[in-house]
Every structure is written in C-alpha cells, then in structure tokens.
C-alpha cells in the first residue's frame, strides 16, 4: 500500500498525508450518520454539565465509553445555569468510542483492509482498532485541543498506537485544521495518563520535558477524503474553530495486539480486548 518513499517520509516526519483516500460520497454518508446519532440523542438525560459535579460525572460517562457510542458536548454550549445555548446539532464536541464496531455505516467506513496493510507496512504486527471518534469541531464554539501525543492516552508497551485521521470536510487554518511538528515524534513521550486503581480519576504524569520546537509546528490543511496518519508520539494540536464552518473529522486509533496493553489506560473494554482486527470488522459487515 505504501511506497518506500512514503514509509521513509512517515519514519522521518511522524506523519503521512494520503489524499483522496476516501470518496466524498463515503464522507457525506458518515457525516449524515453522525448527525443522525446526535439528533436521536436526548441531552436532557445527560446531566454532566451540572457545575458542582461535572468532573465526576463526566469521568464516569467518559471512562465507560470505550465500547459504546456516546456524545460529548462542548463546554461553551451551556450557560452558567446549565441550559443549552446553541442548537443541539451544533453543541456536540465528539462521538466516541466504538462507532466502528456498533454502527453499520461507521463499521463499513472503518473496515478498510487498506488500513490494515498500511499499519503492517510501517511495522505493526497485529493491528486492532481500539477506538473511533467523530469530531465535529463546531463553528464558533469548537474548542482548542492542546499539543499532545496520542501514546499519552493510549499507551502500549512498546508504544504502538497509530492515529488514522480522516477529513470528512475540508480542514483549513480558518476552521481549525490539525497542526503538527514534523520529526517531533523522535523525542520522548512527555506525559502518561493513568487511571487510578480505584474510582475513575485520571492523572497525567510528566515523564520528560518536551523537546518540541513549537516554531516548527505546521498546519496540515487538507481536503475532505484525505487521510492523515500519525505516530503515537507525533506532537499535534488544533486551534479553536472561530469560523462559521464546521470541520468534521473521523479518527481511528489502532494498536498492535502483540504489545502489552496496561490496565492503567483509561479505555478498558468490557470484553478485555483491544478491539477488533480489520478482518473481524469486515466479517461483521
Ligand atoms: Fe490526538
């Protein structure tokens, strides 16, 4: 699937851009499905935005979402009295974290054997699709995502996670595209998130000072249908979306089933696996 040059580029930069990877029709179908999930969701049943216990409830709702389809709202979508102040369809930050398994349209989009081949091309032995997220990056209220490495949150020993980031809509500087530091993955993992043995609290431990040259951060502006893949140590971020346009994206995080997946990771599926292989996803179609 990947040429020698693409493999070298990935190793050197920590990311690779594959244009026209998905058709516009496939992107539109996924977008429609995501919007329908939001339309059918009843935010009144969802009280995490109570100011006093937001954190605790949020953690519980979040931490058990690894094998479910759940909606996570933008903070700025609510006023101080916990009332939704924007249309529900423009209030959701993301869906997570098992659409690839539980929703037939998402499953069809995700069960793409080319992704298995790409993952093995860059050295993964046994690719498993650990999680999926549909990110809305809403107009005007879509929040910033600070610079981070995905291995901080989805750690394996040795580190193996790959992010597959699909632009479902055109992503530009204006509407909050991804930014990243080419070569930044060569430095150490700087933080590690750990779920505490009791309760749902997650602590983030500093492991090393970032060696990232933030001046080297570049915008990854891409058209709908483009796949950006990146290593678990690739430092990346996105600015808030202050434009009037959405910036929908779909991500899959794939880990190597041959690596150890520790209990301290926030995402623990009830079946105690690291998610289906691409072949298993295909057999569900
Ligand atoms: Fe990330």
């Amino acid at each position: 699937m990947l040429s020698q040059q693409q493999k070298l580029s990935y190793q050197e930069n920590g990311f690779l851009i594959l244009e026209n990877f998905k058709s516009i029709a496939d992107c539109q179908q996924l977008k429609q499905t995501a919007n329908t999930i939001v339309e059918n969701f009843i935010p009144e049943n969802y009280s995490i935005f109570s100011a006093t216990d937001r954190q605790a409830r949020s953690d519980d709702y979040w931490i058990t979402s690894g094998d479910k389809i759940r909606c996570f709202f933008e903070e700025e979508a609510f006023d101080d009295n916990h009332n939704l102040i924007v249309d529900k369809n423009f209030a959701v930050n993301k869906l997570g974290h098992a659409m690839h398994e539980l929703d037939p349209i998402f499953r069809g989009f995700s069960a793409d054997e080319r992704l298995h081949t790409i993952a093995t091309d860059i050295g993964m032995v046994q690719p498993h699709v650990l999680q999926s997220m549909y990110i809305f990056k809403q107009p005007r209220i879509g929040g910033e995502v600070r610079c981070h490495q995905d291995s901080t949150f989805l750690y394996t020993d040795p580190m193996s996670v790959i992010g597959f980031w699909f632009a479902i809509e055109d992503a530009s500087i204006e509407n909050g595209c991804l930014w990243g530091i080419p070569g930044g993955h060569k430095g150490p993992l700087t933080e590690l998130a750990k779920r505490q043995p009791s309760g749902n609290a997650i602590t983030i431990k500093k492991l090393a000072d970032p060696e990232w040259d933030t001046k080297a951060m570049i915008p990854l502006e891409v058209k709908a249908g483009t796949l950006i893949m990146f290593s678990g140590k690739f430092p990346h971020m996105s600015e808030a979306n202050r434009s009037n346009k959405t910036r929908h994206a779909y991500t899959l995080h794939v880990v190597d089933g041959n690596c150890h997946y520790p209990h301290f990771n926030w995402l623990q599926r009830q079946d105690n696996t690291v998610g289906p292989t691409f072949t298993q996803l295909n057999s569900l179609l």
Side-chain angles (χ1 to χ4, degrees), residues 133 145-146 148-150 153 165 178 230 234 236-237 251 253:
M133 292 191 286
V145 177
R146 73 177 180 93
H148 66 281
Q149 298 162 300
D150 288 347
F153 304 100
W165 191 100
L178 269 186
F230 48 89
F234 179 61
H236 60 283
M237 59 160 288
T251 66
H253 283 92

Side-chain angles (χ1 to χ4, degrees), residues 42-113:
I42 303 166
E44 287 75 13
N45 290 345
Y46 183 50
S47 52
I48 82 161
F49 291 95
S50 143
T52 48
D53 60 359
R54 177 185 297 174
Q55 197 57 46
R57 284 174 186 247
S58 168
D59 285 351
D60 187 52
Y61 187 78
W62 176 274
I63 216 154
T64 56
S65 66
D67 42 19
K68 299 180 183 68
I69 299 177
R70 288 190 170 163
C71 296
F72 301 94
F73 284 88
E74 291 287 351
E75 276 196 57
E76 292 182 31
F78 292 80
D79 66 16
D80 290 343
N81 297 318
H82 328 304
N83 299 312
L84 205 52
I85 51 173
V86 292
D87 185 308
K88 182 178 70 174
N89 297 312
F90 287 99
V92 175
N93 172 292
K94 69 173 92 175
L95 304 178
H97 287 90
M99 287 81 70
H100 62 294
E101 213 175 347
L102 302 176
D103 180 274
I105 300 297
F106 274 93
R107 195 187 304 137
F109 191 99
S110 312
D112 188 331
E113 288 287 352

Side-chain angles (χ1 to χ4, degrees), residues 41 75 98 104-105 110 113 128 140 186 188 196-197 205 215 228 233 239 269 272:
F41 186 76
E75 276 196 57
I105 300 297
S110 312
E113 288 287 352
H128 285 254
R140 297 176 292 279
K186 291 178 179 170
Q196 295 309 294
K205 188 179 167 200
K215 288 193 287 299
I228 304 177
K233 284 204 299 168
E239 306 267 15
R269 294 164 51 99
N272 283 321

Side-chain angles (χ1 to χ4, degrees), residues 22-34:
K22 291 285 189 182
S23 70
I24 297 299
D26 283 350
C27 292
Q28 283 172 346
Q29 191 186 32
L30 203 73
K31 181 173 165 178
Q32 237 166 38
T33 307

Side-chain angles (χ1 to χ4, degrees), residues 53-276:
D53 60 359
R54 177 185 297 174
Q55 197 57 46
R57 284 174 186 247
S58 168
D59 285 351
D60 187 52
Y61 187 78
W62 176 274
I63 216 154
T64 56
S65 66
D67 42 19
K68 299 180 183 68
I69 299 177
R70 288 190 170 163
C71 296
F72 301 94
F73 284 88
E74 291 287 351
E75 276 196 57
E76 292 182 31
F78 292 80
D79 66 16
D80 290 343
N81 297 318
H82 328 304
N83 299 312
L84 205 52
I85 51 173
V86 292
D87 185 308
K88 182 178 70 174
N89 297 312
F90 287 99
V92 175
N93 172 292
K94 69 173 92 175
L95 304 178
H97 287 90
M99 287 81 70
H100 62 294
E101 213 175 347
L102 302 176
D103 180 274
I105 300 297
F106 274 93
R107 195 187 304 137
F109 191 99
S110 312
D112 188 331
E113 288 287 352
R114 294 176 300 169
L115 299 173
H116 171 92
T117 309
I118 288 172
T120 53
D121 275 353
I122 53 168
M124 197 177 275
V125 178
Q126 208 178 86
H128 285 254
V129 191
L130 176 61
Q131 72 164 31
S132 49
M133 292 191 286
Y134 190 91
I135 302 157
F136 293 85
K137 203 75 169 177
Q138 303 287 6
R140 297 176 292 279
I141 61 168
E144 175 192 351
V145 177
R146 73 177 180 93
C147 192
H148 66 281
Q149 298 162 300
D150 288 347
S151 283
T152 291
F153 304 100
L154 300 171
Y155 185 80
T156 63
D157 186 14
M159 283 181 262
S160 66
V161 69
I162 304 172
F164 289 111
W165 191 100
F166 301 91
I168 302 301
E169 298 179 308
D170 295 351
S172 65
I173 292 175
E174 188 196 2
N175 69 351
C177 68
L178 269 186
W179 291 68
I181 303 174
H185 66 301
K186 291 178 179 170
L189 184 68
T190 60
E191 292 179 327
L192 185 58
K194 284 191 174 184
R195 179 179 183 155
Q196 295 309 294
S198 58
N200 292 331
I202 295 172
T203 55
I204 296 187
K205 188 179 167 200
K206 186 174 174 181
L207 301 179
D209 284 321
E211 295 171 3
W212 311 330
D213 178 5
T214 46
K215 288 193 287 299
M217 180 84 71
I218 58 165
L220 305 175
E221 294 189 285
V222 294
K223 293 284 179 202
T226 299
L227 166 62
I228 304 177
M229 55 180 288
F230 48 89
S231 137
K233 284 204 299 168
F234 179 61
H236 60 283
M237 59 160 288
S238 63
E239 306 267 15
N241 179 8
R242 297 298 175 202
S243 78
N244 291 324
K245 290 186 280 189
T246 51
R247 193 231 63 190
H248 289 198
Y250 178 56
T251 66
L252 293 173
H253 283 92
V254 174
V255 294
D256 196 331
N258 266 18
C259 298
H260 172 63
Y261 187 81
H263 284 296
F264 62 68
N265 276 326
W266 78 267
L267 197 166
Q268 301 292 337
R269 294 164 51 99
Q270 282 182 348
D271 62 8
N272 283 321
T273 72
V274 286

